[in-house]
Amino acid sequence: MTANNKTQMMDALFFDEYTSQNAIRKYTRATAGYGISYLLEHDYQDVYRAALDQLPPEIKQDGIRVLEFGCGGGMNLIQLVSLLRNKGFNIKKPLAPISRRC
């Protein structure tokens, strides 16, 4: 089996795992529990703040578009939009498309 075939197989396995209904239920705030809530509110938020502080001031004023993709129930998007609002960012369009396969 070639390296490319192995990569494609692994990609397919991850896609199947993270687009299953069980994964969606598992990775939403209601079911993921305290652990993910803590990570979003503490660890991830620190990373987001550091990244946002490096953006040019025009983006804060003119607006920012945010796209989250995956099957995590949009938890990162909700946390990030809240942080953006608290920091005075104009949010043009937050999107968390949910695929039919999710």
Side-chain angles (χ1 to χ4, degrees):
M1 179 179 284
T2 68
N4 190 38
N5 287 348
K6 287 180 185 178
T7 300
Q8 288 176 342
M9 281 182 58
M10 186 174 285
D11 287 350
L13 288 171
F14 279 114
F15 182 80
D16 289 344
E17 165 61 23
Y18 289 102
T19 58
S20 71
Q21 289 301 312
N22 285 338
I24 294 168
R25 284 189 291 278
K26 183 168 48 174
Y27 298 117
T28 58
R29 186 178 292 262
T31 57
Y34 180 75
I36 190 63
S37 295
Y38 181 87
L39 285 173
L40 288 169
E41 294 169 10
H42 296 90
D43 296 341
Y44 286 24
Q45 192 160 333
D46 292 343
V47 172
Y48 293 151
R49 277 193 183 112
L52 293 172
D53 289 344
Q54 294 181 34
L55 292 175
E58 303 83 51
I59 291 178
K60 185 175 183 177
Q61 180 182 356
D62 296 343
I64 189 169
R65 294 180 189 175
V66 182
L67 172 64
E68 177 185 23
F69 60 94
C71 295
M75 293 185 301
N76 269 319
L77 182 66
I78 293 165
Q79 186 71 27
L80 183 55
V81 166
S82 175
L83 178 61
L84 287 165
R85 285 189 176 136
N86 289 339
K87 289 182 81 57
F89 276 80
N90 176 19
I91 304 165
K92 285 185 177 180
K93 193 174 224 181
L95 295 172
I98 300 195
S99 145
R100 292 188 67 119
R101 294 211 42 192
C102 286

